[in-house]
Amino acid sequence: MMTPIKTIVVAGARPNFMKIAPLMKRIAEQNSQGAGERFEVRLVHTGQHYDQKMSDVFFKELGIPEPDINLGVGSGSQAAQTASVMTSFEPVCLKEKPQWVIVVGDVNSTVACTLVCAKMGIRVAHVEAGLRSFDRTMPEEINRIVTDSLADLLLTPSEDGNENLRREGVAEERIKLVGNIMIDSLIENLPMSRQATLMSRIGLKPGKFAFVTLHRPSNVDCKESLASIMAEVERLASRLPVVFPIHPRTRKMLSEFGIKTSEGRGLQLIDPVGYHDSLSLTENARLLLTDSGGLQEEATYFRTPCLTLRPNTERPVTVATGSNRLTNLQRLATDIDEFLDGPERRGQIPPLWDGGTARRTLDEIRNASRR
Ligand code: UD1
């Protein structure tokens, strides 16, 4: 029998969980069917996100096994959090001696674990590689650039990712187009999200509400910008009911800046929602207003009109092919009116957003192991 491929899968923050779930599932399936070389896996949760609503609920809903190791790093400044993941991940690698570490997305845990591995000579596979916003004021952009320059295998969700990496001089054999792993999770969870009860519990009807999520530092960490955004959201709520699950960062800033919100008049501010409720809101919203990366993609899959309150996106395919449009505070009111008065569903689903990405990812790691 062939020796198994010893692998650590890393997850740290909320947007990582729906990306590792299909990987963990396919690995377990393929191991039990004896399909291809086995992966001997350890799941490491860095603890970057730790709340029940930011972490536990996703493990439960997505059926991710309990992490083998939780580094428990918690919150901190960019440097403190990244450093803390690094110092706690290094001993894990020393002990486990993995052949591969799989990291996903662009959060601080992604870059921290990649840096550790690069210095220890452990091979890194980066799932969702190659995305670029070309905006280095975003912490995630720094994380993407550093992770991709160090990782050995760059697994991209769309052709633009390949182009970005080629332009940065990455050797062709390190780049593999595998498709969008988020969509594996989405497709797998559709039957469950269609049973989700949040909409009826809070009195929302399909196609007759707007779904709002905002948490980027560039939008919520500045008082003037957050106050204007809230004023726009209230204006939107005068046109149709709005549900706005509030990220902990946004809640903290609203209270720090003393920004009052006129809840009740069409606007419902609620706690962060779980994965199935989030999918259900995205599928059924008349309009999504967001600054999240993942929601731009999920909206594209559902062809839900999506306004992204950012000057750029690292996911241009959601604009070129999908239902997404970038907006800013000056244009927001016009864009909202145009979207609400325009066609109900927009855009198309990009190629390889088909549920087969985890399988293609594992195939590529096996292929690279032979090299
Ligand atoms: C992180 C990611 C971002 C991702 C977002 C999704 C980085 C640089 N950013 O941003 O890419 O879109 O997650 O949520 O990695 N907090 C809690 N409970 C938690 C976690 C955080 O209350 O479980 C609060 C803390 O006050 C913390 C703040 O939220 O200081 C921000 O958390 P942090 O992980 O630093 O960044 P996010 O804004 O969540």
Side-chain angles (χ1 to χ4, degrees):
M1 212 169 99
M2 275 178 289
T3 44
I5 305 172
K6 211 166 171 191
T7 305
I8 289 180
V9 174
V10 176
R14 184 171 64 177
N16 289 166
F17 305 137
M18 49 298 272
K19 295 169 194 162
I20 62 148
L23 288 174
M24 297 299 292
K25 197 157 192 168
R26 288 292 94 73
I27 289 174
E29 253 172 41
Q30 294 183 358
N31 280 352
S32 75
Q33 292 160 358
E37 296 97 311
R38 284 175 63 80
F39 284 90
E40 187 188 322
V41 178
R42 297 275 178 279
L43 176 59
V44 172
H45 189 330
T46 66
Q48 175 173 346
H49 285 174
Y50 42 84
D51 279 351
Q52 198 272 336
K53 292 194 164 78
M54 297 297 286
S55 176
D56 303 359
V57 66
F58 294 89
F59 275 73
K60 204 163 138 231
E61 288 186 327
L62 287 156
I64 307 169
E66 279 281 303
D68 298 287
I69 299 154
N70 194 322
L71 306 178
V73 301
S75 300
S77 69
Q78 294 292 320
Q81 191 172 61
T82 308
S84 175
V85 174
M86 287 183 71
T87 45
S88 22
F89 189 58
E90 187 179 46
V92 172
C93 290
L94 279 170
K95 177 160 178 274
E96 299 290 338
K97 299 188 178 55
Q99 280 163 269
W100 283 97
V101 169
I102 305 180
V103 297
V104 299
D106 55 15
V107 301
N108 288 343
S109 303
T110 311
V111 71
C113 294
T114 303
L115 266 163
V116 169
C117 294
K119 296 202 174 189
M120 295 178 78
I122 298 167
R123 298 169 92 182
V124 174
H126 182 207
V127 178
E128 205 185 82
L131 299 187
R132 296 290 180 270
S133 66
F134 304 101
D135 173 1
R136 291 197 182 194
T137 64
M138 285 180 84
E140 293 83 359
E141 183 72 355
I142 310 290
N143 297 344
R144 293 179 199 118
I145 294 168
V146 175
T147 301
D148 286 344
S149 77
L150 296 176
D152 300 85
L153 185 57
L154 301 172
L155 301 148
T156 58
S158 43
E159 186 53 43
D160 54 283
N162 293 39
E163 283 161 25
N164 291 334
L165 294 169
R166 276 183 209 122
R167 205 178 316 110
E168 290 172 17
V170 175
E172 202 62 40
E173 70 264 18
R174 280 171 62 206
I175 310 172
K176 302 290 169 194
L177 178 62
V178 291
N180 191 332
I181 196 107
M182 295 265 299
I183 304 304
D184 284 27
S185 265
L186 185 157
I187 292 171
E188 207 149 313
N189 282 273
L190 265 184
M192 276 84 86
S193 78
R194 288 182 174 154
Q195 307 282 313
T197 56
L198 177 70
M199 273 176 42
S200 63
R201 275 187 282 127
I202 63 174
L204 298 175
K205 300 205 170 50
K208 299 210 172 346
F209 67 94
F211 177 25
V212 176
T213 83
L214 297 158
H215 73 284
R216 294 270 158 227
S218 55
N219 281 327
V220 307
D221 284 7
C222 154
K223 185 175 180 180
E224 288 68 38
S225 133
L226 186 55
S228 319
I229 291 172
M230 291 312 294
E232 265 316 313
V233 169
E234 281 166 20
R235 198 194 74 94
L236 171 60
S238 68
R239 281 206 63 179
L240 84 171
V242 171
V243 60
F244 185 174
I246 303 261
H247 185 280
R249 173 187 286 277
T250 310
R251 188 172 292 283
K252 194 166 91 183
M253 299 324 287
L254 281 172
S255 114
E256 221 164 85
F257 297 145
I259 297 172
K260 298 267 169 298
T261 48
S262 58
E263 255 187 282
R265 273 181 279 162
L267 172 60
Q268 301 196 61
L269 299 178
I270 61 174
D271 278 344
V273 297
Y275 184 59
H276 294 149
D277 283 331
S278 176
L279 286 184
S280 152
L281 292 177
T282 307
E283 180 171 25
N284 290 294
R286 176 71 188 85
L287 170 76
L288 172 67
L289 171 63
T290 191
D291 58 12
S292 149
L295 281 174
Q296 294 172 47
E297 298 179 326
E298 289 163 349
T300 286
Y301 187 85
F302 288 126
R303 302 175 64 232
T304 297
C306 174
L307 286 173
T308 296
L309 190 54
R310 283 180 44 190
N312 46 57
T313 177
E314 59 289 333
R315 294 160 162 93
V317 71
T318 61
V319 175
T321 310
S323 60
N324 191 19
R325 178 191 289 183
L326 299 181
T327 189
N328 58 39
L329 273 172
Q330 289 70 46
R331 265 213 336 263
L332 184 58
T334 323
D335 279 339
I336 285 175
D337 291 344
E338 223 179 281
F339 266 43
L340 288 181
D341 302 330
E344 269 204 18
R345 296 280 147 185
R346 307 158 50 93
Q348 301 300 323
I349 300 174
L352 295 183
W353 292 28
D354 60 356
T357 296
R359 185 178 43 72
R360 290 188 286 267
T361 297
L362 298 179
D363 288 347
E364 292 299 349
I365 296 175
R366 287 194 182 96
N367 288 341
S369 301
R370 295 187 198 109
R371 291 204 288 268

